[in-house]
Coordinates of all heavy atoms in Angstrom, one line a residue:
G73 N 18.7 24.5 23.5 CA 17.4 24.0 23.0 C 17.4 23.6 21.6 O 16.3 23.3 21.1
R74 N 18.6 23.5 20.9 CA 18.6 23.0 19.5 C 18.6 21.5 19.5 O 19.3 20.9 20.3 CB 19.7 23.6 18.8 CG 19.6 25.1 18.5 CD 20.9 25.7 17.8 NE 21.6 24.8 16.9 CZ 22.8 25.1 16.4 NH1 23.4 26.2 16.7 NH2 23.4 24.3 15.6
I75 N 18.0 20.9 18.5 CA 18.1 19.5 18.3 C 18.9 19.3 17.0 O 18.6 19.9 15.9 CB 16.7 18.8 18.1 CG1 15.9 19.0 19.3 CG2 16.9 17.4 17.8 CD1 14.5 18.5 19.2
L76 N 20.0 18.5 17.1 CA 20.9 18.3 16.0 C 20.9 16.8 15.7 O 20.7 15.9 16.5 CB 22.3 18.7 16.4 CG 22.5 20.2 16.8 CD1 23.9 20.4 17.3 CD2 22.3 21.1 15.6
I77 N 21.1 16.5 14.4 CA 21.3 15.2 13.9 C 22.6 15.2 13.2 O 23.1 16.1 12.6 CB 20.2 14.6 13.0 CG1 20.0 15.6 11.8 CG2 18.9 14.5 13.8 CD1 19.0 15.0 10.8
R78 N 23.3 14.0 13.2 CA 24.6 13.9 12.5 C 24.4 13.3 11.1 O 23.7 12.3 10.9 CB 25.5 13.0 13.2 CG 26.9 12.9 12.6 CD 27.9 12.2 13.5 NE 28.3 13.2 14.5 CZ 29.3 14.1 14.4 NH1 29.9 14.3 13.3 NH2 29.6 14.9 15.4
V79 N 24.8 14.0 10.1 CA 24.7 13.6 8.7 C 26.1 13.5 8.2 O 26.8 14.5 8.0 CB 23.9 14.6 7.8 CG1 23.9 14.1 6.4 CG2 22.5 14.8 8.3
G80 N 26.6 12.2 8.1 CA 28.0 12.1 7.7 C 28.9 12.5 8.9 O 28.8 12.0 10.0
E81 N 29.7 13.5 8.6 CA 30.6 14.0 9.7 C 30.1 15.3 10.2 O 30.8 16.0 11.1 CB 32.0 14.2 9.0 CG 32.6 13.0 8.4 CD 33.4 12.2 9.4 OE1 34.0 12.8 10.3 OE2 33.5 11.0 9.2
Q82 N 29.0 15.8 9.8 CA 28.5 17.2 10.1 C 27.2 17.1 11.0 O 26.3 16.3 10.7 CB 28.3 17.9 8.9 CG 28.0 19.4 9.0 CD 27.9 20.1 7.7 OE1 27.8 19.5 6.7 NE2 27.8 21.4 7.7
D83 N 27.1 18.0 12.0 CA 25.9 18.1 12.8 C 25.0 19.1 12.1 O 25.5 20.2 11.6 CB 26.2 18.6 14.2 CG 26.9 17.6 15.0 OD1 26.6 16.4 14.7 OD2 27.6 17.9 16.0
V84 N 23.7 18.8 11.9 CA 22.8 19.6 11.2 C 21.5 19.8 12.1 O 21.1 18.9 12.8 CB 22.3 18.9 9.9 CG1 21.3 19.7 9.1 CG2 23.5 18.6 9.0
D85 N 21.0 21.1 12.1 CA 19.8 21.3 12.8 C 18.6 20.4 12.3 O 18.4 20.2 11.1 CB 19.3 22.8 12.7 CG 20.2 23.7 13.5 OD1 20.5 23.4 14.6 OD2 20.6 24.8 12.9
Y86 N 17.9 19.9 13.3 CA 16.8 19.0 13.0 C 15.5 19.8 12.8 O 15.2 20.7 13.7 CB 16.6 18.0 14.1 CG 15.3 17.1 13.9 CD1 15.3 16.1 13.0 CD2 14.2 17.4 14.7 CE1 14.1 15.4 12.8 CE2 13.1 16.6 14.6 CZ 13.0 15.6 13.6 OH 11.9 14.9 13.5
D87 N 14.8 19.6 11.8 CA 13.5 20.2 11.6 C 12.4 19.1 11.6 O 12.4 18.2 10.8 CB 13.5 20.9 10.2 CG 12.2 21.7 9.9 OD1 11.2 21.5 10.7 OD2 12.1 22.4 8.9
P88 N 11.5 19.2 12.5 CA 10.4 18.1 12.6 C 9.6 18.0 11.4 O 8.9 17.0 11.2 CB 9.6 18.6 13.8 CG 10.2 19.7 14.5 CD 11.3 20.2 13.6
A89 N 9.5 19.0 10.5 CA 8.7 18.9 9.3 C 9.5 18.2 8.2 O 8.9 18.0 7.1 CB 8.3 20.3 8.9
F90 N 10.8 18.0 8.4 CA 11.6 17.3 7.3 C 11.1 15.9 7.1 O 10.9 15.1 8.1 CB 13.0 17.4 7.7 CG 13.9 16.7 6.7 CD1 14.2 17.2 5.5 CD2 14.4 15.4 7.0 CE1 15.0 16.6 4.6 CE2 15.2 14.7 6.1 CZ 15.5 15.3 4.9
K91 N 11.0 15.5 5.9 CA 10.7 14.1 5.5 C 11.6 13.7 4.4 O 11.9 14.5 3.5 CB 9.2 14.0 5.1 CG 8.2 14.2 6.2 CD 6.8 14.0 5.7 CE 5.9 14.4 6.9 NZ 4.5 14.1 6.6
L92 N 12.1 12.5 4.4 CA 12.9 11.9 3.4 C 12.3 10.7 2.8 O 11.9 9.8 3.5 CB 14.3 11.5 4.0 CG 15.3 10.8 3.1 CD1 15.7 11.8 2.0 CD2 16.5 10.4 3.8
Y93 N 12.1 10.7 1.5 CA 11.5 9.5 0.8 C 12.6 8.9 -0.1 O 13.3 9.6 -0.8 CB 10.4 10.0 -0.1 CG 9.2 10.6 0.7 CD1 9.1 11.9 1.0 CD2 8.2 9.7 1.2 CE1 8.1 12.5 1.7 CE2 7.2 10.3 1.9 CZ 7.1 11.6 2.1 OH 6.1 12.2 2.8
M94 N 12.8 7.6 0.1 CA 13.8 6.9 -0.8 C 13.0 5.8 -1.5 O 12.1 5.2 -1.0 CB 14.8 6.3 0.1 CG 15.7 7.3 0.9 SD 16.8 6.8 2.1 CE 17.5 5.3 1.4
T95 N 13.5 5.6 -2.7 CA 12.9 4.5 -3.5 C 14.0 3.5 -4.0 O 15.2 3.9 -4.0 CB 12.1 5.0 -4.7 OG1 13.0 5.7 -5.6 CG2 11.0 5.9 -4.3
T96 N 13.6 2.4 -4.4 CA 14.6 1.4 -4.9 C 13.9 0.6 -6.0 O 12.7 0.4 -6.0 CB 15.2 0.5 -3.9 OG1 16.1 -0.4 -4.5 CG2 14.1 -0.3 -3.2
K97 N 14.7 0.2 -7.0 CA 14.2 -0.7 -8.0 C 14.4 -2.2 -7.6 O 14.0 -3.1 -8.4 CB 15.0 -0.5 -9.3 CG 14.6 0.9 -9.9 CD 15.2 1.1 -11.3 CE 14.9 2.5 -11.8 NZ 15.4 2.7 -13.1
M98 N 15.0 -2.4 -6.5 CA 15.2 -3.8 -6.0 C 13.8 -4.4 -5.7 O 13.0 -3.8 -5.0 CB 16.1 -3.8 -4.8 CG 17.5 -3.3 -5.0 SD 18.5 -3.0 -3.5 CE 18.3 -4.6 -2.7
P99 N 13.6 -5.6 -6.1 CA 12.3 -6.2 -5.9 C 12.0 -6.6 -4.4 O 10.9 -6.6 -3.9 CB 12.2 -7.5 -6.8 CG 13.7 -7.8 -7.0 CD 14.4 -6.5 -7.0
N100 N 13.1 -6.9 -3.7 CA 12.9 -7.3 -2.3 C 14.1 -6.8 -1.5 O 15.0 -7.6 -1.1 CB 12.7 -8.8 -2.2 CG 12.3 -9.3 -0.8 OD1 11.9 -8.5 0.0 ND2 12.4 -10.6 -0.6
P101 N 14.2 -5.5 -1.2 CA 15.4 -5.0 -0.6 C 15.5 -5.5 0.9 O 14.5 -5.8 1.5 CB 15.2 -3.5 -0.6 CG 13.7 -3.3 -0.7 CD 13.2 -4.5 -1.5
H102 N 16.7 -5.7 1.3 CA 16.9 -6.1 2.7 C 17.7 -5.0 3.4 O 18.7 -4.5 2.9 CB 17.7 -7.4 2.8 CG 18.1 -7.8 4.1 ND1 17.1 -8.3 5.0 CD2 19.2 -7.8 4.8 CE1 17.7 -8.6 6.2 NE2 19.0 -8.3 6.1
Y103 N 17.2 -4.6 4.6 CA 17.8 -3.6 5.4 C 18.2 -4.2 6.8 O 17.5 -5.1 7.2 CB 16.9 -2.4 5.5 CG 16.5 -1.8 4.2 CD1 15.3 -2.0 3.6 CD2 17.4 -0.9 3.6 CE1 15.0 -1.4 2.4 CE2 17.1 -0.3 2.4 CZ 15.8 -0.6 1.8 OH 15.5 0.0 0.6
L104 N 19.3 -3.6 7.3 CA 19.7 -4.1 8.6 C 18.6 -3.8 9.7 O 17.8 -2.8 9.5 CB 21.0 -3.4 9.0 CG 22.2 -3.7 8.2 CD1 23.4 -2.8 8.6 CD2 22.5 -5.2 8.3
P105 N 18.4 -4.6 10.7 CA 17.4 -4.3 11.7 C 17.4 -2.9 12.3 O 16.4 -2.4 12.6 CB 17.6 -5.4 12.8 CG 18.3 -6.5 12.0 CD 19.2 -5.8 11.0
D106 N 18.6 -2.4 12.6 CA 18.7 -1.1 13.2 C 18.2 0.0 12.2 O 17.7 1.1 12.7 CB 20.1 -0.8 13.7 CG 21.2 -0.7 12.6 OD1 21.0 -1.5 11.6 OD2 22.1 0.1 12.6
V107 N 18.2 -0.2 10.9 CA 17.6 0.7 10.0 C 16.1 0.5 10.0 O 15.3 1.5 10.0 CB 18.2 0.5 8.6 CG1 17.4 1.3 7.5 CG2 19.6 0.8 8.5
C108 N 15.6 -0.7 10.0 CA 14.2 -1.0 9.9 C 13.4 -0.4 11.1 O 12.3 0.0 10.9 CB 13.9 -2.5 9.8 SG 14.4 -3.2 8.3
I109 N 14.0 -0.3 12.3 CA 13.3 0.2 13.4 C 13.2 1.7 13.4 O 12.4 2.3 14.2 CB 13.9 -0.3 14.7 CG1 15.3 0.2 14.9 CG2 13.8 -1.8 14.9 CD1 15.9 -0.1 16.3
K110 N 14.0 2.4 12.5 CA 14.0 3.8 12.5 C 13.2 4.4 11.3 O 13.1 5.6 11.2 CB 15.5 4.3 12.4 CG 16.2 3.9 13.7 CD 17.7 4.4 13.5 CE 18.5 3.9 14.7 NZ 20.0 4.2 14.5
V111 N 12.7 3.6 10.4 CA 12.1 4.0 9.2 C 10.7 3.3 9.0 O 10.5 2.3 9.7 CB 12.9 3.9 8.0 CG1 14.2 4.6 8.1 CG2 13.2 2.4 7.7
T112 N 9.9 3.8 8.2 CA 8.7 3.1 7.7 C 8.9 2.6 6.3 O 9.2 3.4 5.4 CB 7.5 4.1 7.8 OG1 7.3 4.6 9.1 CG2 6.2 3.4 7.4
L113 N 8.8 1.3 6.1 CA 8.9 0.7 4.8 C 7.6 0.5 4.2 O 6.7 -0.1 4.9 CB 9.7 -0.6 4.9 CG 11.1 -0.5 5.4 CD1 11.7 -1.9 5.6 CD2 12.0 0.4 4.5
I114 N 7.4 0.9 3.0 CA 6.1 0.6 2.3 C 6.4 -0.1 1.0 O 7.3 0.4 0.2 CB 5.4 2.0 2.0 CG1 5.1 2.7 3.3 CG2 4.1 1.7 1.2 CD1 4.6 4.1 3.1
N115 N 5.8 -1.2 0.8 CA 6.0 -2.0 -0.4 C 4.9 -1.6 -1.5 O 3.7 -1.9 -1.3 CB 5.9 -3.5 -0.1 CG 6.2 -4.3 -1.3 OD1 6.3 -3.8 -2.4 ND2 6.3 -5.6 -1.1
F116 N 5.3 -0.9 -2.5 CA 4.3 -0.5 -3.6 C 4.3 -1.5 -4.8 O 3.9 -1.1 -5.8 CB 4.7 0.9 -4.1 CG 4.4 2.0 -3.0 CD1 5.4 2.5 -2.3 CD2 3.1 2.4 -2.8 CE1 5.1 3.5 -1.4 CE2 2.8 3.4 -1.9 CZ 3.8 3.9 -1.2
V117 N 4.7 -2.7 -4.5 CA 4.8 -3.6 -5.6 C 3.4 -4.0 -6.0 O 2.5 -4.3 -5.2 CB 5.6 -4.9 -5.3 CG1 5.5 -5.9 -6.3 CG2 7.0 -4.5 -5.0
I118 N 3.0 -4.0 -7.3 CA 1.7 -4.3 -7.8 C 1.9 -5.1 -9.1 O 2.8 -4.8 -9.8 CB 0.8 -3.1 -8.0 CG1 -0.6 -3.6 -8.3 CG2 1.4 -2.2 -9.0 CD1 -1.6 -2.4 -8.3
T119 N 1.1 -6.1 -9.3 CA 1.2 -6.9 -10.5 C 0.5 -6.1 -11.6 O -0.3 -5.2 -11.4 CB 0.6 -8.2 -10.4 OG1 -0.8 -8.0 -10.2 CG2 1.2 -9.0 -9.2
L120 N 0.9 -6.4 -12.9 CA 0.3 -5.8 -14.0 C -1.2 -6.1 -14.1 O -2.1 -5.2 -14.3 CB 0.9 -6.2 -15.3 CG 0.5 -5.5 -16.6 CD1 0.8 -4.0 -16.5 CD2 1.3 -6.1 -17.8
D121 N -1.6 -7.3 -13.7 CA -3.0 -7.6 -13.7 C -3.8 -6.8 -12.6 O -4.9 -6.3 -12.9 CB -3.3 -9.1 -13.4 CG -2.8 -10.0 -14.5 OD1 -2.8 -9.5 -15.7 OD2 -2.6 -11.2 -14.3
G122 N -3.2 -6.6 -11.5 CA -3.8 -5.8 -10.4 C -4.0 -4.4 -10.8 O -5.0 -3.7 -10.6
L123 N -2.9 -3.8 -11.5 CA -3.0 -2.5 -12.0 C -4.1 -2.3 -13.0 O -4.9 -1.4 -13.0 CB -1.7 -2.0 -12.5 CG -1.6 -0.6 -13.0 CD1 -1.9 0.4 -11.9 CD2 -0.1 -0.3 -13.6
E124 N -4.2 -3.3 -13.9 CA -5.2 -3.3 -15.0 C -6.6 -3.3 -14.3 O -7.5 -2.5 -14.8 CB -5.1 -4.4 -15.9 CG -3.9 -4.3 -16.9 CD -3.7 -5.5 -17.7 OE1 -4.4 -6.5 -17.5 OE2 -2.9 -5.5 -18.7
D125 N -6.8 -4.1 -13.3 CA -8.1 -4.2 -12.7 C -8.5 -2.9 -12.0 O -9.6 -2.4 -12.0 CB -8.1 -5.3 -11.6 CG -8.1 -6.7 -12.2 OD1 -8.4 -6.8 -13.4 OD2 -7.8 -7.7 -11.5
Q126 N -7.5 -2.3 -11.3 CA -7.7 -1.0 -10.7 C -8.1 0.1 -11.7 O -9.0 0.9 -11.5 CB -6.5 -0.5 -9.9 CG -6.3 -1.3 -8.6 CD -5.0 -0.9 -7.9 OE1 -4.6 0.3 -8.0 NE2 -4.5 -1.7 -7.0
L127 N -7.3 0.2 -12.8 CA -7.6 1.2 -13.8 C -9.0 1.0 -14.5 O -9.7 1.9 -14.7 CB -6.5 1.2 -14.8 CG -5.1 1.7 -14.3 CD1 -4.1 1.6 -15.4 CD2 -5.2 3.2 -13.8
L128 N -9.3 -0.3 -14.8 CA -10.6 -0.6 -15.4 C -11.7 -0.2 -14.4 O -12.7 0.4 -14.9 CB -10.6 -2.1 -15.7 CG -11.9 -2.5 -16.4 CD1 -12.2 -1.8 -17.7 CD2 -11.9 -4.0 -16.6
G129 N -11.5 -0.5 -13.2 CA -12.5 -0.1 -12.2 C -12.8 1.4 -12.1 O -13.9 1.9 -12.1
E130 N -11.7 2.2 -12.3 CA -11.9 3.6 -12.3 C -12.6 4.1 -13.5 O -13.4 5.0 -13.5 CB -10.5 4.3 -12.2 CG -9.8 4.1 -10.8 CD -10.6 4.7 -9.7 OE1 -11.1 5.9 -9.8 OE2 -10.8 4.1 -8.7
V131 N -12.3 3.5 -14.7 CA -12.9 3.9 -15.9 C -14.4 3.6 -15.9 O -15.3 4.4 -16.2 CB -12.3 3.2 -17.2 CG1 -13.1 3.4 -18.4 CG2 -10.9 3.7 -17.3
V132 N -14.7 2.3 -15.4 CA -16.1 1.9 -15.3 C -16.9 2.8 -14.3 O -18.0 3.2 -14.6 CB -16.2 0.4 -14.9 CG1 -17.7 0.0 -14.5 CG2 -15.7 -0.4 -16.0
K133 N -16.2 3.2 -13.2 CA -16.9 4.0 -12.2 C -17.3 5.4 -12.8 O -18.3 6.0 -12.5 CB -15.9 4.2 -11.0 CG -16.6 4.8 -9.8 CD -15.7 5.1 -8.6 CE -14.5 4.2 -8.5 NZ -13.7 4.6 -7.3
K134 N -16.4 5.9 -13.7 CA -16.7 7.2 -14.3 C -17.8 7.1 -15.4 O -18.6 7.9 -15.5 CB -15.4 7.8 -14.9 CG -14.4 8.3 -13.9 CD -14.8 9.6 -13.4 CE -13.7 10.1 -12.5 NZ -14.0 11.3 -11.7
E135 N -17.6 6.1 -16.3 CA -18.4 6.0 -17.5 C -19.8 5.3 -17.2 O -20.8 5.6 -17.9 CB -17.7 5.3 -18.6 CG -16.5 6.2 -19.1 CD -15.8 5.5 -20.3 OE1 -16.2 4.5 -20.8 OE2 -14.8 6.1 -20.7
K136 N -19.8 4.3 -16.3 CA -21.0 3.5 -16.1 C -21.1 3.3 -14.6 O -20.9 2.1 -14.1 CB -21.0 2.2 -16.8 CG -20.9 2.4 -18.3 CD -21.8 1.5 -19.0 CE -21.7 1.7 -20.5 NZ -23.0 1.5 -21.1
P137 N -21.5 4.2 -13.8 CA -21.5 4.1 -12.3 C -22.5 3.0 -11.9 O -22.3 2.3 -10.9 CB -21.9 5.4 -11.8 CG -22.3 6.3 -13.0 CD -21.8 5.6 -14.2
E138 N -23.6 2.8 -12.6 CA -24.5 1.8 -12.3 C -23.9 0.3 -12.4 O -24.2 -0.5 -11.6 CB -25.8 1.9 -13.1 CG -25.7 1.6 -14.6 CD -25.1 2.7 -15.4 OE1 -24.8 3.8 -14.9 OE2 -24.9 2.4 -16.6
L139 N -23.1 0.2 -13.4 CA -22.4 -1.1 -13.6 C -21.4 -1.4 -12.5 O -21.3 -2.5 -12.0 CB -21.7 -1.1 -15.0 CG -21.0 -2.4 -15.4 CD1 -22.1 -3.5 -15.5 CD2 -20.4 -2.2 -16.8
E140 N -20.7 -0.3 -12.0 CA -19.8 -0.4 -10.9 C -20.5 -0.8 -9.6 O -20.1 -1.6 -8.8 CB -19.0 0.9 -10.7 CG -18.0 0.9 -9.6 CD -16.8 0.0 -9.8 OE1 -16.6 -0.5 -10.9 OE2 -16.1 -0.1 -8.8
E141 N -21.7 -0.2 -9.4 CA -22.5 -0.5 -8.2 C -23.0 -2.0 -8.3 O -22.9 -2.7 -7.3 CB -23.7 0.4 -8.2 CG -24.6 0.2 -7.0 CD -23.9 0.5 -5.7 OE1 -23.0 1.3 -5.6 OE2 -24.3 -0.1 -4.7
T142 N -23.4 -2.5 -9.4 CA -23.8 -3.9 -9.6 C -22.6 -4.8 -9.3 O -22.8 -5.8 -8.6 CB -24.3 -4.1 -11.0 OG1 -25.4 -3.3 -11.3 CG2 -24.7 -5.6 -11.2
K143 N -21.4 -4.4 -9.8 CA -20.2 -5.3 -9.5 C -20.0 -5.3 -8.0 O -19.7 -6.4 -7.5 CB -19.0 -4.7 -10.2 CG -17.8 -5.6 -10.0 CD -16.5 -4.8 -10.2 CE -16.3 -3.9 -9.1 NZ -15.0 -3.8 -8.5
N144 N -20.0 -4.2 -7.3 CA -19.8 -4.2 -5.9 C -20.8 -5.0 -5.1 O -20.4 -5.7 -4.2 CB -19.8 -2.7 -5.4 CG -18.7 -1.9 -5.9 OD1 -17.6 -2.4 -6.3 ND2 -18.8 -0.6 -5.9
K145 N -22.0 -5.0 -5.5 CA -23.1 -5.8 -4.9 C -22.8 -7.3 -5.1 O -22.9 -8.1 -4.2 CB -24.5 -5.4 -5.4 CG -25.0 -4.1 -4.9 CD -26.3 -3.8 -5.4 CE -26.8 -2.4 -5.0 NZ -28.1 -2.0 -5.6
L146 N -22.3 -7.6 -6.3 CA -22.0 -9.0 -6.6 C -20.8 -9.5 -5.8 O -20.8 -10.6 -5.3 CB -21.7 -9.2 -8.1 CG -22.9 -9.2 -9.0 CD1 -22.5 -9.2 -10.5 CD2 -23.7 -10.4 -8.7
V147 N -19.8 -8.6 -5.6 CA -18.6 -9.0 -4.8 C -19.0 -9.3 -3.4 O -18.6 -10.3 -2.8 CB -17.5 -7.9 -4.9 CG1 -16.5 -8.1 -3.9 CG2 -16.9 -7.8 -6.3
V148 N -19.9 -8.4 -2.8 CA -20.4 -8.6 -1.4 C -21.1 -9.9 -1.3 O -21.0 -10.7 -0.4 CB -21.2 -7.4 -1.0 CG1 -21.9 -7.7 0.3 CG2 -20.3 -6.1 -0.9
S149 N -22.0 -10.1 -2.3 CA -22.9 -11.3 -2.3 C -22.0 -12.6 -2.4 O -22.2 -13.6 -1.7 CB -23.8 -11.3 -3.5 OG -24.6 -12.5 -3.6
M150 N -21.0 -12.6 -3.3 CA -20.1 -13.7 -3.4 C -19.3 -14.0 -2.2 O -19.1 -15.2 -1.8 CB -19.1 -13.5 -4.6 CG -19.8 -13.6 -6.0 SD -18.7 -13.1 -7.3 CE -17.3 -14.0 -7.1
A151 N -18.9 -13.0 -1.5 CA -18.2 -13.1 -0.2 C -19.1 -13.8 0.8 O -18.7 -14.7 1.6 CB -17.6 -11.8 0.3
S152 N -20.3 -13.3 0.9 CA -21.3 -13.8 1.8 C -21.6 -15.3 1.5 O -21.7 -16.1 2.4 CB -22.6 -13.0 1.7 OG -23.6 -13.6 2.5
D153 N -21.8 -15.6 0.2 CA -22.1 -17.0 -0.2 C -20.9 -17.9 0.1 O -21.1 -19.0 0.5 CB -22.4 -17.0 -1.7 CG -23.7 -16.4 -2.1 OD1 -24.5 -16.0 -1.2 OD2 -23.9 -16.1 -3.3
K154 N -19.7 -17.4 -0.1 CA -18.5 -18.2 0.2 C -18.4 -18.5 1.7 O -18.1 -19.6 2.1 CB -17.2 -17.6 -0.2 CG -16.0 -18.4 0.1 CD -14.8 -17.9 -0.6 CE -13.5 -18.6 -0.3 NZ -13.6 -19.9 0.4
K155 N -18.7 -17.5 2.5 CA -18.7 -17.7 4.0 C -19.8 -18.7 4.4 O -19.5 -19.6 5.2 CB -19.0 -16.4 4.7 CG -19.0 -16.5 6.2 CD -19.3 -15.1 6.8 CE -19.4 -15.2 8.3 NZ -19.8 -14.0 9.0
Q156 N -21.0 -18.6 3.8 CA -22.0 -19.6 4.1 C -21.6 -21.0 3.7 O -21.9 -22.0 4.4 CB -23.3 -19.1 3.4 CG -24.5 -20.0 3.8 CD -25.8 -19.5 3.1 OE1 -25.8 -18.5 2.2 NE2 -26.9 -20.1 3.4
L157 N -21.0 -21.1 2.5 CA -20.6 -22.4 2.0 C -19.5 -23.0 3.0 O -19.6 -24.2 3.3 CB -20.0 -22.3 0.6 CG -19.4 -23.5 0.0 CD1 -20.5 -24.6 -0.2 CD2 -18.7 -23.2 -1.3
D158 N -18.6 -22.2 3.4 CA -17.5 -22.7 4.3 C -18.2 -23.1 5.6 O -17.8 -24.2 6.2 CB -16.5 -21.6 4.6 CG -15.6 -21.3 3.4 OD1 -15.6 -22.1 2.4 OD2 -15.0 -20.3 3.3
E159 N -19.1 -22.4 6.1 CA -19.8 -22.8 7.4 C -20.6 -24.1 7.2 O -20.6 -24.9 8.1 CB -20.7 -21.7 7.9 CG -20.0 -20.4 8.3 CD -21.0 -19.2 8.6 OE1 -22.2 -19.3 8.3 OE2 -20.5 -18.2 9.1
T160 N -21.2 -24.2 6.1 CA -22.0 -25.5 5.8 C -21.0 -26.7 5.7 O -21.3 -27.8 6.2 CB -22.8 -25.3 4.5 OG1 -23.6 -24.2 4.6 CG2 -23.6 -26.6 4.2
Q161 N -19.9 -26.5 5.0 CA -18.9 -27.6 4.9 C -18.3 -28.0 6.2 O -17.9 -29.1 6.4 CB -17.9 -27.2 3.8 CG -18.4 -27.2 2.4 CD -17.4 -26.8 1.4 OE1 -16.4 -26.2 1.7 NE2 -17.6 -27.1 0.2
D162 N -18.2 -27.0 7.1 CA -17.5 -27.3 8.4 C -18.4 -28.1 9.3 O -18.0 -28.7 10.3 CB -17.1 -26.0 9.1 CG -16.0 -25.3 8.4 OD1 -15.3 -26.0 7.6 OD2 -15.7 -24.1 8.7
K163 N -19.8 -28.2 9.0 CA -20.7 -28.9 9.9 C -20.6 -30.4 9.7 O -20.2 -31.0 8.8 CB -22.1 -28.5 9.6 CG -22.4 -27.0 10.1 CD -23.8 -26.7 9.9 CE -24.0 -25.2 10.4 NZ -25.4 -24.8 10.2

């Protein structure tokens, strides 16, 4: 009833709670297809501008929640307006 996995030349007991996280500094790493089907790859690349926007949003949310709410309403309104514009242009 034991489940074993091979690590290098040695068989090791498998523990379903075991998780392995690996990171790389490579901007666009390439892995063989047989590796990709056995793992979950997550791309955490973010631009400096994107990070600044996220951090500024958090600061505004804490210090001026009413301003953050106004911004959110404007974003929704702009998206709705853009959709309406696109529909009108398609006619």
Side-chain angles (χ1 to χ4, degrees):
R74 289 176 32 191
I75 298 176
L76 301 172
I77 59 173
R78 182 167 288 275
V79 178
E81 304 270 329
Q82 187 177 12
D83 289 334
V84 178
D85 285 316
Y86 172 75
D87 181 352
F90 176 77
K91 294 182 181 183
L92 175 66
Y93 297 92
M94 295 172 41
T95 62
T96 180
K97 291 184 180 184
M98 296 169 54
N100 191 12
H102 176 70
Y103 300 100
L104 297 174
D106 61 325
V107 172
C108 289
I109 61 172
K110 297 176 186 175
V111 300
T112 301
L113 298 175
I114 301 173
N115 185 352
F116 288 103
V117 174
I118 186 168
T119 64
L120 188 56
D121 289 339
L123 183 58
E124 286 175 355
D125 289 344
Q126 288 180 22
L127 293 174
L128 180 59
E130 291 300 313
V131 170
V132 171
K133 194 184 329 179
K134 290 278 189 194
E135 294 184 3
K136 300 223 178 213
E138 68 283 354
L139 188 59
E140 179 72 7
E141 182 64 29
T142 302
K143 182 202 73 132
N144 290 339
K145 287 179 182 175
L146 285 171
V147 168
V148 170
S149 175
M150 288 170 54
S152 174
D153 292 347
K154 179 169 178 12
K155 180 180 178 186
Q156 186 178 6
L157 178 64
D158 291 345
E159 289 172 354
T160 303
Q161 289 177 340
D162 289 343
K163 290 182 181 179

